[in-house]
Amino acid sequence: MIEARRLHILRAVADHRTVTAAAAALYLTPSAVSQQLAALEQETGHRLVDRSARGARLTPAGEILLGHANAVLAQLERAEAELAAYGSGDAGTVTVAAFATGIGLVVAPAITSLARTAPGIRVRVRDAEGDESLLMVLDRQVDVAVAVEYRGAPGEDDDRLTRVPLYAEPFDAVLPPGHPLAAGERVALADLAKDTWIGQSEGNPCHDVTVLACEYAGFTLKPEHSSDDFRAVVALAAASAGVALVPRSALRGMELTGVEVRPIEGVAPTRRVFAAVRRGAEEHPLISPVLTALRTASGNGA
């Protein structure tokens, strides 16, 4: 009989690609993860993981089992949801991981709404970038992720997660004072190809959006400066350190007197934001109201 917790460990190894990283995410020791994998291989009669100096990869047998593991774990989430509903489930804590702007734009308003509509639900918030928050959901560190679409993000057909679209917003060009393109109402991205750029760190979903937008505009982005704090990005632009693309909502309420902000001409690069839960958990009586509140706060309300 295959133990469900060992399937969860197999999925963590597949997601994190090393035993050490999977162990850290699951709050286990690497030796404990290795022991559970060995036991799973004994249960199934197949070698499931190949290990090398570059990390751990699932074997073809491991990939087959992973597909079934995703279905089994989703069904267990549904079972927990139904049992919680049977026991009323009207009070408890839901942990939400979200990036800073998302916290201000949808998570905080959702908490205010839940205080009226579902006062028994307590929301605990953790600050995390989109690529981090999705793994936190899969590793059961949090219940809900508010994440950003990025290159390599799990798609809508991913059988591990259920996604709920929240909102989409354009990026605007942030220019230093006196920049020649500030004379126009809009900025063509290709016209910034030779400028010095301020970007985000690799792995940040906004970095991926910016890189792809520049590729479509015909040039390769090579930032001279980088920061994941948009206030710092604006401060650098105000100091004439370079130009940048910043999501429009991140500029709200920010001091912008030292920079010029212009929309992008044509199809602007866009940040697409969604909520994600482990598949099956969307029916949980504590999680479902939180998803509804997030959707309503984003303007996509039911």
Side-chain angles (χ1 to χ4, degrees), residues 4 7-8 10-11 64-75:
L7 295 178
H8 184 57
L10 180 72
R11 186 162 79 178
I64 291 172
L65 183 58
L66 179 63
H68 291 287
N70 289 333
V72 168
L73 294 173
Q75 192 59 41

Side-chain angles (χ1 to χ4, degrees), residues 104-244:
L105 201 60
V106 294
V107 178
I111 291 174
T112 300
S113 172
L114 286 166
R116 297 190 306 270
T117 61
I121 297 177
R122 177 187 173 214
V123 178
R124 180 183 294 124
V125 180
R126 293 181 61 177
D127 192 315
E129 291 299 333
D131 54 331
E132 299 171 341
S133 63
L134 294 175
L135 283 175
M136 291 166 73
V137 166
L138 291 170
D139 294 334
R140 302 183 69 89
Q141 296 177 25
V142 302
D143 302 302
V144 181
V146 175
V148 177
E149 193 72 65
Y150 62 94
R151 183 160 35 187
E156 294 182 1
D157 60 347
D158 191 292
D159 55 8
R160 301 169 298 169
L161 295 168
T162 295
R163 295 175 24 150
V164 176
L166 294 179
Y167 64 92
E169 62 172 330
F171 283 62
D172 290 328
V174 178
L175 310 175
H179 193 285
L181 294 181
E185 292 185 0
R186 294 179 174 271
V187 172
L189 199 52
D191 292 340
L192 297 174
K194 295 183 179 180
D195 279 81
T196 301
W197 275 79
I198 308 159
Q200 287 75 52
S201 59
E202 290 189 26
N204 185 312
C206 289
H207 171 81
D208 281 351
V209 173
T210 304
V211 167
L212 285 172
C214 293
E215 287 178 2
Y216 290 142
F219 66 98
T220 300
L221 178 68
K222 295 181 179 179
E224 179 73 15
H225 315 283
S226 66
S227 175
D228 293 334
D229 184 330
F230 289 120
R231 291 186 182 276
V233 170
V234 169
L236 287 169
S240 298
V243 301

Side-chain angles (χ1 to χ4, degrees), residues 92-96 121-125 143-144 284 286-287 290:
T93 300
V94 175
T95 304
V96 179
I121 297 177
R122 177 187 173 214
V123 178
R124 180 183 294 124
V125 180
D143 302 302
V144 181
H284 193 285
L286 294 179
I287 293 175
V290 173

